[in-house]
Amino acid sequence: MAPRSDNSKRLNELRMKHGRPPAGPNEPKAAKAEPTLREQQPRFRGLESGHRACQGCGEALAARLVMESAGPDVMVANATGCLEVFSTPWPQTAWRVPWIHSLFENASAVASGMEAAMKAKGKNTKVLSFGGDGATYDIGFQSLSGMLERHHNVLYVTYDNEAYMNTGIQRSSSTPHAASTTTSPVGAERMGKRHLKKDLLSIVAAHHIPYAASASVAYPADLQRKVRYAMGVEGPTFLVIHSPCPLGWRHDSALTVEIARRAVECGLFPLVELERGALTNIMPIRDPRPVAEYLKLQGRFAHLFKKNDYRAAEELDHLQALADHNIAIYGLRGEGTDPVDTTGVAQVRRGGPLAGRN
Amino acid sequence: MGEMTRGQYADAGTSLDFKTGNWRSTQRPVHVHAKAPCHTACPAGEDQQAWFALLQEQKVEEAWKSLVSANPMPGVTGRVCPHPCETACNRVHVDGALAIHNVERWLGDEAVRLGWDYPVAAPAKDAKTVAIVGAGPAGISAAYHCVRLGLKAEIFEALSEAGGLLRSAIPPTRLPRGPLDAELGRILDLPGITLNLRQRLGRDVTVESLKAQYAAVLLAPGCEKAKPWSVQGAVPADLHEGLELLRDFMDHGALPDAAKGDVIVHGGGNTAMDICRIMKRAGAKSVTLITASGLPGPDTAPDDLINVVPRELEEALEEGIEVIDHATVSRLIMKGSKVTGVEIIALKKEPGKDGRKRRVEFEGTERVVSVDMVVPCVGEQVDPEGYEGLLDGAYFWPDNAGGRVAERVYALGDARGSRGTVAAAIGDGRLAAEAAAAELRGEDDPSADDRSTIGIDALNTAYYAGASRTLVAKLPVSERTFEAEIEGSISRTEALAEAQRCLSCGNCLACDNCWTMCPDNAVIKTAELAMDGSHYVFDYDYCKGCGLCTHECPTGYIQSVPETN
Ligand SMILES: Cc1cc2nc3c(=O)[nH]c(=O)nc-3n(C[C@H](O)[C@H](O)[C@H](O)COP(=O)(O)OP(=O)(O)OC[C@H]3O[C@@H](n4cnc5c(N)ncnc54)[C@H](O)[C@@H]3O)c2cc1C
Ligand SMILES: Cc1ncc(C[n+]2csc(CCOP(=O)(O)OP(=O)(O)O)c2C)c(N)n1
Ligand code: SF4
Ligand code: SF4
Ligand code: SF4
Ligand SMILES: [Mg+2]
């Protein structure tokens, strides 16, 4: 073994590099600098700047919003995927909470263990488990189901960008019908993905867990209310957040929130809450808009707007029918205007959003 | 085992060490305080967005103070202004323009009721004094702005009362004398303003004498002289010009006997509109307005539109005034020197050979109607006495915003040929005072505000909806008199609710959208105001330039500009 001093030299180098001057127990602590503007902000920064997400990444936005209202007393188990990769490029991390990455398929299992460990230590620190749609709808599905069934006190959040983005936009069971991905390309045979988007929320809710809900980055106040509610629940809770991906959906990075908003307003991504398997709340849509207004902003649906291809119109109608179906079965039309419907909840006032202020 | 590998001690650094700001390739977000369209459209220069913002914070007195920093007479303009601000308001495209004039009037009345102090200080004892000719809205506004700028003002008014056309012509049904007197009185009582009544330029003083005695001379005499009117050389013996009739009526409440019969008013403009309504109310059998212009409608070109306050035209039609548009009086039918009928012919503005529009009468459309009285209202011009060498034709036509027509001499208000509303007169008062103050300091003319105006396309309307405009009660036609004010007032609750509808066009409303929605934590919210007046700063060390905040900023205060790095 090399003399200890060699290691501590290297450690000190690294500490200096990352802005942490060595301070032994006997050395006087470095004088605390004035907090920067960034540090003075009135919110918890659980996912910090400097991460490597694409411009306009919906997943980065969603995770930031979740951490703000869940933190700081939380620990995260993160499945493989964009979120894990862009937030932790060695030797840096964007996380400001304890965070564990193990595998693509086992975030729920890791979270279960973390929770059991906390329980054993008599701590209240809440465990969060994060995964993409691939990690949740598909490959981590059984470990998620097990975690829910064993009733661990974990909030599971899936960042639904509707494909395996980190490995190059492969279709997942969450990819919507007719979306084009690298493994469901448009061609002579098919207009994008043949199958339907899996209704994971219903499956999760069928575990009879206390709380399962969908949210969208277009409605941050609603999203954060749902996180806070889940944080207060003892037992397994689940949130699926619609998170546009400019790269995979092929849209302008400035339109991330606009597209998410239209997904909700057209009915393709209903915002609902289920408790013990029963529907307890929905976000009514004030003025439902045609699905075409949502789809036309995205390259993954460009083929649906091809002239002179009878299949385009047919698939467009199919997606409209799916949206109408959601509106019908969840009763999204509402009755009259509601202060927390899609239009009401978005209203701004001088000094902050109107709804969901805490 | 030699050196420890990095993987053996996972002492992670923070991603803050990695500056993603250098990913910005094409655009960066910046804060841009553009002009709100209401502000751009307001001839008096009010920044409605600014005072609505204060009302949104329930700061009512501060809102009034912000308003009167441009327009000292909100109680007047709130009643008489054609409010081009509302026509321009971006909320038109959402669910109806803001009821700006109603709130403006309420603020003016509240200031009178509660005795709020104008935000001005008494000028220094040795402050320079500016002479002002005319105590109409232009002159009074100029005096007020002189005091705001630390100058004293001495007004010379020919009549025995201040107010100009506000008092002598605008009917009390639109502008009751109570609020008018109260507001003007409060301004004229400010320290530093002296009002000399019954002092007429051309008779008691001259431009030269004023120039010799005062630091600067501001000419605001309005337009007093009727433009000559005849039809093919014929002029009836008992001719009464519109403004003169109106003034007489305001003074002693009487109209000539012929006004009991069938009356034709010839012209188009506020005077024509008001005299029509007064004669109708006084019992004329019929009143018909003959105007060469067109009535408001989708087919009417802006340069062809009748030049009256739209609300006044609407009310006149409600009251039974008939309007024959696109027509003129082509012949007077006289018995001796008295009019008994007129011939009317259709006309329209048509582009001629050189492309310039001129009036074309359409042969074959003549018709003769019998009448008891014809009232010309074809406009007024400056009474030239005393202004030799300064007038250019019938008016002053200064070539600069402040209105300078000679060294230390400025023209303002209606006397400038291009004006014609109370708000424009008030705006001129400010511009002239500012230009004069600069000239007296030996400085260049104040520079114009060349910021761009923000349109609806730059706003994100997803964040505003579902608040319809406050409706204001009006006196029904059957209850209208010569005195009672026709349009009602609004309550404090209504005014504050209406203010909440303001979209804050072009200026940050601290909604937190950018702070909430930046995926990169690159918008920093500050407790204090940032340098640019918002609460937010961009951290360009991390901003990737995605443009999301620009798109989601409801007010258009964030704009994406080309990246220059
Ligand atoms: C019937 C009528 C209705 C109108 N309605 C509206 C309306 O609803 N809304 C609107 O915005 N505008 C309206 N206007 C137009 C508006 O009144 C004028 O644009 C505005 O009053 C112009 O202000 P001013 O100060 O330039 O001139 P004025 O108001 O004409 O004031 C000029 C003052 O100068 C004095 N004066 C003149 N010559 C001399 C001199 N030689 N020496 C000393 N003093 C002198 C006059 O006595 C008068 O007091 C209306 C006009 C008329 C005639
Ligand atoms: C068992 C296993 N199979 C495949 C991979 C490769 N892999 C890494 S990330 C990823 C896609 C992740 O997709 P998703 O969970 O939807 O997250 P996203 O990247 O879209 O946020 C894949 C396939 C892996 N890491 N482990
Ligand atoms: S919404 Fe407000 S700021 Fe915008 S134009 Fe109307 S009054 Fe002006
Ligand atoms: S949202 Fe954030 S990263 Fe994107 S342009 Fe705005 S400040 Fe920059
Ligand atoms: S998004 Fe809201 S807080 Fe941010 S600059 Fe625009 S108005 Fe201000
Ligand atoms: Mg995915």
Side-chain angles (χ1 to χ4, degrees):
Chain A
M1 209 162 150
R4 235 186 98 78
S5 59
D6 286 352
N7 286 344
S8 50
K9 196 174 143 221
R10 177 78 185 118
L11 267 172
N12 283 349
E13 273 171 26
L14 280 169
R15 285 189 165 128
M16 291 307 287
K17 176 163 181 244
H18 300 304
R20 294 193 203 166
N26 302 323
E27 295 166 51
K29 286 234 161 64
K32 236 188 160 195
E34 270 282 292
T36 60
L37 275 185
R38 174 172 290 273
E39 288 161 354
Q40 283 172 34
Q41 293 179 88
R43 73 179 179 199
F44 173 63
R45 291 162 293 124
L47 181 67
E48 202 27 303
S49 303
H51 62 67
R52 288 17 169 212
C54 298
Q55 295 164 319
C57 173
E59 192 168 86
L61 169 55
R64 215 210 74 219
L65 291 168
V66 169
M67 290 308 293
E68 252 163 53
S69 22
D73 190 16
V74 293
M75 305 198 300
V76 177
N78 204 148
T80 313
C82 277
L83 179 63
E84 169 258 322
V85 169
F86 73 61
S87 63
T88 54
W90 170 259
Q92 294 164 352
T93 177
W95 300 96
R96 297 180 70 242
V97 298
W99 178 92
I100 299 177
H101 164 244
S102 167
L103 292 170
F104 194 14
E105 59 273 32
N106 68 354
S108 300
V110 171
S112 301
M114 288 159 73
E115 186 251 8
M118 283 299 112
K119 207 181 268 171
K121 294 188 83 171
K123 289 203 170 172
N124 274 331
T125 303
K126 182 97 173 186
V127 176
L128 310 178
S129 184
F130 291 169
D133 52 291
T136 309
Y137 286 65
D138 297 344
I139 189 167
F141 182 60
Q142 66 83 1
S143 72
L144 167 66
S145 178
M147 182 193 84
L148 300 176
E149 181 266 336
R150 291 189 305 273
H151 218 77
H152 287 280
N153 182 18
V154 171
L155 165 58
Y156 190 103
V157 182
T158 177
Y159 299 96
D160 187 3
N161 54 20
E162 304 189 326
Y164 291 79
M165 295 308 179
N166 196 61
T167 40
I169 322 168
Q170 292 83 19
R171 56 91 80 194
S172 75
S173 61
S174 169
T175 303
H177 177 68
S180 147
T181 68
T182 52
T183 50
S184 63
V186 179
E189 288 297 318
R190 295 254 169 260
M191 293 295 265
K193 185 181 165 183
R194 174 186 168 185
H195 307 98
L196 302 178
K197 183 181 171 86
K198 185 194 274 183
D199 181 5
L200 183 67
L201 196 58
S202 297
I203 301 170
V204 165
H207 289 74
H208 207 69
I209 59 170
Y211 186 67
S214 52
S216 165
V217 291
Y219 298 96
D222 176 71
L223 186 162
Q224 294 191 317
R225 173 182 67 79
K226 287 167 177 166
V227 172
R228 284 193 301 272
Y229 184 80
M231 288 296 290
V233 171
E234 184 73 27
T237 50
F238 178 87
L239 208 54
V240 47
I241 305 180
H242 203 219
S243 312
C245 168
L247 188 83
W249 298 11
R250 284 180 272 144
H251 64 75
D252 185 332
S253 61
L255 296 182
T256 297
V257 168
E258 179 70 45
I259 285 169
R261 180 164 45 237
R262 292 185 186 196
V264 173
E265 286 179 334
C266 74
L268 276 180
F269 198 89
L271 298 189
V272 303
E273 290 167 86
L274 298 114
E275 294 180 55
R276 299 284 176 202
L279 186 68
T280 50
N281 198 7
I282 53 144
M283 185 190 286
I285 305 174
R286 189 171 299 180
D287 298 303
R289 56 202 299 175
V291 289
E293 290 183 16
Y294 163 60
L295 305 170
K296 73 181 177 206
L297 297 178
Q298 308 171 53
R300 63 175 176 157
F301 292 113
H303 51 284
L304 301 183
F305 298 91
K306 252 195 238 153
K307 301 268 175 286
N308 310 323
D309 188 339
Y310 77 99
R311 299 177 306 168
E314 196 176 303
E315 291 296 13
L316 214 48
D317 284 348
H318 189 173
L319 285 163
Q320 184 64 56
L322 289 170
D324 293 344
H325 176 73
N326 283 340
I327 292 175
I329 59 163
Y330 288 116
L332 299 178
R333 250 341 290 256
E335 292 142 22
T337 61
D338 187 317
V340 289
D341 64 17
T342 47
T343 306
V345 84
Q347 297 310 289
V348 293
R349 286 255 169 128
R350 186 162 298 279
L354 196 54
R357 246 192 269 189
N358 56 332
Chain B
M1 275 238 300
E3 281 267 312
M4 234 173 131
T5 63
R6 296 209 305 179
Q8 283 175 282
Y9 45 87
D11 186 12
T14 164
S15 60
L16 285 170
D17 288 346
F18 190 83
K19 304 283 166 65
T20 51
N22 60 13
W23 292 17
R24 276 195 317 280
S25 47
T26 54
Q27 54 176 14
R28 67 156 65 199
V30 291
H31 288 156
V32 178
H33 182 183
K35 287 195 239 176
C38 48
H39 171 49
T40 306
C42 176
E46 279 177 39
D47 189 346
Q48 291 83 344
Q49 186 278 319
W51 56 258
F52 273 134
L54 290 161
L55 280 182
Q56 290 178 345
E57 297 178 55
Q58 319 276 319
K59 294 179 181 160
V60 180
E61 185 173 349
E62 282 94 328
W64 174 80
K65 291 204 155 111
S66 159
L67 192 168
V68 298
S69 66
N71 169 11
M73 303 171 214
V76 171
T77 49
R79 290 178 163 87
V80 306
C81 187
H83 40 76
C85 54
E86 293 183 18
T87 313
C89 174
N90 274 332
R91 191 143 193 156
V92 166
H93 308 283
V94 182
D95 50 16
L98 272 273
I100 301 176
H101 78 280
N102 305 94
V103 182
E104 179 185 54
R105 165 177 159 179
W106 174 76
L107 278 175
D109 289 354
E110 283 290 279
V112 169
R113 188 173 73 84
L114 299 168
W116 293 331
D117 291 328
Y118 278 93
V120 298
K125 277 218 169 59
D126 59 348
K128 291 182 176 157
T129 307
V130 172
I132 297 169
V133 176
I140 295 175
S141 162
Y144 167 80
H145 283 285
C146 282
V147 173
R148 263 190 75 235
L149 297 165
L151 300 165
K152 291 188 215 162
E154 185 142 355
I155 309 180
F156 297 86
E157 164 60 47
L159 299 180
S160 56
E161 273 183 297
L165 292 173
L166 301 179
R167 185 179 306 286
S168 64
I170 298 187
T173 48
R174 177 147 84 254
L175 181 58
R177 295 310 181 242
L180 172 65
D181 290 341
E183 200 160 63
L184 294 192
R186 276 161 47 81
I187 301 168
L188 292 169
D189 281 348
L190 289 174
I193 299 182
T194 314
L195 173 63
N196 303 298
L197 295 170
R198 298 181 199 85
Q199 292 287 309
R200 188 174 182 86
L201 185 130
R203 184 187 69 200
D204 307 304
V205 291
T206 66
V207 172
E208 287 313 314
S209 69
L210 292 177
K211 218 178 148 180
Q213 210 182 329
Y214 295 92
V217 184
L218 271 42
L219 304 173
C223 297
E224 296 210 306
K225 209 175 123 181
K227 280 188 187 156
W229 179 86
S230 69
V231 181
Q232 296 176 342
V235 183
D238 57 343
L239 179 74
H240 297 278
E241 189 272 332
L243 188 56
E244 171 203 324
L245 270 187
L246 202 54
R247 284 191 160 137
D248 285 351
F249 183 77
M250 295 288 177
D251 269 0
H252 34 268
L255 290 168
D257 285 347
K260 290 267 176 274
D262 295 310
V263 181
I264 291 251
V265 175
H266 182 210
N270 290 314
T271 310
M273 211 76 268
D274 283 334
I275 196 68
C276 280
R277 295 173 68 187
I278 283 177
M279 292 202 289
K280 178 80 187 174
R281 211 166 284 151
K285 214 151 78 194
S286 76
V287 180
T288 308
L289 176 71
I290 313 266
T291 176
S293 309
L295 295 180
D299 300 332
T300 310
D303 65 346
D304 189 30
L305 188 64
I306 186 167
N307 183 23
V308 296
V309 182
R311 176 190 60 199
E312 302 302 314
L313 175 64
E314 245 168 63
E315 289 173 6
L317 295 172
E318 281 169 18
E319 291 163 16
I321 309 296
E322 284 176 53
V323 180
I324 302 179
D325 63 337
H326 289 140
T328 190
V329 175
S330 50
R331 199 156 63 87
L332 293 181
I333 298 160
M334 317 262 264
K335 202 179 231 169
S337 59
K338 282 192 98 171
V339 186
T340 58
V342 294
E343 184 187 90
I344 302 167
I345 189 166
L347 61 65
K348 216 172 166 187
K349 277 189 177 171
E350 303 279 355
K353 220 182 193 164
D354 58 357
R356 299 236 315 251
K357 283 191 174 175
R358 74 245 190 278
R359 287 174 174 175
V360 181
E361 296 184 1
F362 299 121
E363 194 186 339
T365 60
E366 304 84 352
R367 60 181 149 148
V368 172
V369 292
S370 67
V371 298
D372 298 295
M373 188 177 185
V374 177
V375 180
C377 294
V378 292
E380 288 77 32
Q381 56 194 47
V382 178
D383 183 349
E385 201 194 336
Y387 303 112
E388 292 75 16
L390 294 171
L391 287 173
D392 179 359
Y395 308 99
F396 297 99
W397 295 102
D399 61 0
N400 53 85
R404 187 183 305 102
V405 289
E407 198 191 319
R408 294 190 290 115
V409 182
Y410 293 80
L412 48 152
D414 272 8
R416 284 179 79 160
S418 52
R419 302 306 197 249
T421 61
V422 173
I426 291 171
D428 272 5
R430 177 176 50 86
L431 294 171
E434 284 171 358
E439 188 180 358
L440 296 182
R441 287 193 304 264
E443 292 168 8
D444 288 345
D445 284 347
S447 49
D449 180 358
D450 55 5
R451 291 177 300 147
S452 62
T453 302
I454 196 141
I456 187 71
D457 293 344
L459 307 193
N460 190 331
T461 52
Y463 295 104
Y464 316 97
S468 45
R469 178 184 166 115
T470 305
L471 290 176
V472 181
K474 268 192 183 188
L475 220 52
V477 175
S478 58
E479 289 170 31
R480 292 186 195 168
T481 65
F482 292 116
E483 294 294 335
E485 184 164 16
I486 292 174
E487 187 170 54
S489 54
I490 58 173
S491 65
R492 178 189 168 88
T493 315
E494 286 170 321
L496 293 179
E498 189 63 23
Q500 290 295 348
R501 296 182 67 234
C502 175
L503 311 176
S504 192
C505 303
N507 201 0
C508 178
L509 55 59
C511 69
D512 280 357
N513 268 10
C514 51
W515 187 57
T516 306
M517 295 191 192
C518 171
D520 288 275
N521 246 330
V523 178
I524 291 179
K525 181 174 182 168
T526 62
E528 309 278 310
L529 284 188
M531 293 292 283
D532 60 14
S534 81
H535 286 279
Y536 310 84
V537 289
F538 292 110
D539 190 339
Y540 293 115
D541 277 351
Y542 302 103
C543 165
K544 294 171 184 163
C546 65
L548 196 158
C549 53
T550 302
H551 189 81
E552 299 308 323
C553 174
T555 64
Y557 186 64
I558 304 179
Q559 291 184 15
S560 291
V561 299
E563 179 54 71
T564 44
N565 279 344

